Amino acid sequence: MIDVKRAVNAAYEYIKSIQDMMGSSLKDLRLEEVELSEDKSFWLITLGFDIPKKPPKSQFENLIATSRASTPVLYEREYKLFKVNSQTGKVEAMKIRQV
């Protein structure tokens, strides 16, 4: 069985390899939670990261032209749950984790 460090590294490497497909860079990527399944066949790894989110514009802002530089960039936290095979160390699934 692989250790927790190898399982976490597999999840990190997986999400970094698909970062371009996700459409944005992953800011503040962190390990949020680790759990070993009851039958010890999978590590369940949760990673969290910030993604850019544009603030909603008011009707007044829509009427006037504003530069992009004056629009602050806000971030929201997103979480991905990885299912890592405890024998092979391969990521077998990834899904959005709702909090």
Side-chain angles (χ1 to χ4, degrees):
M1 183 166 89
I2 66 167
D3 64 6
V4 66
K5 185 175 180 178
R6 190 164 162 209
V8 170
N9 283 336
Y12 271 113
E13 292 303 316
Y14 187 87
I15 199 166
K16 287 181 180 182
S17 74
I18 63 165
Q19 182 174 337
D20 290 339
M21 288 189 300
M22 294 173 65
S24 66
S25 64
L26 306 176
K27 298 209 182 289
D28 196 24
L29 180 61
R30 284 187 273 172
L31 175 64
E32 301 286 345
E33 186 176 66
V34 176
E35 183 180 344
L36 184 60
S37 64
E38 286 186 28
D39 64 0
K40 299 186 183 193
S41 60
F42 296 100
W43 286 101
L44 302 170
I45 311 292
T46 301
L47 299 178
F49 53 92
D50 293 335
I51 56 171
K53 176 183 177 184
K54 284 191 171 185
K57 288 188 175 185
S58 69
Q59 289 181 346
F60 177 73
E61 288 176 309
N62 286 331
L63 295 174
I64 60 171
T66 58
S67 71
R68 288 195 96 185
S70 66
T71 305
V73 177
L74 300 176
Y75 293 91
E76 64 183 353
R77 198 85 180 141
E78 189 167 300
Y79 302 91
K80 301 284 186 201
L81 177 64
F82 297 85
K83 184 178 175 182
V84 179
N85 186 300
S86 66
Q87 298 304 311
T88 66
K90 302 233 185 230
V91 174
E92 294 194 1
M94 177 187 77
K95 67 179 184 176
I96 297 171
R97 179 168 180 190
Q98 302 294 328
V99 289

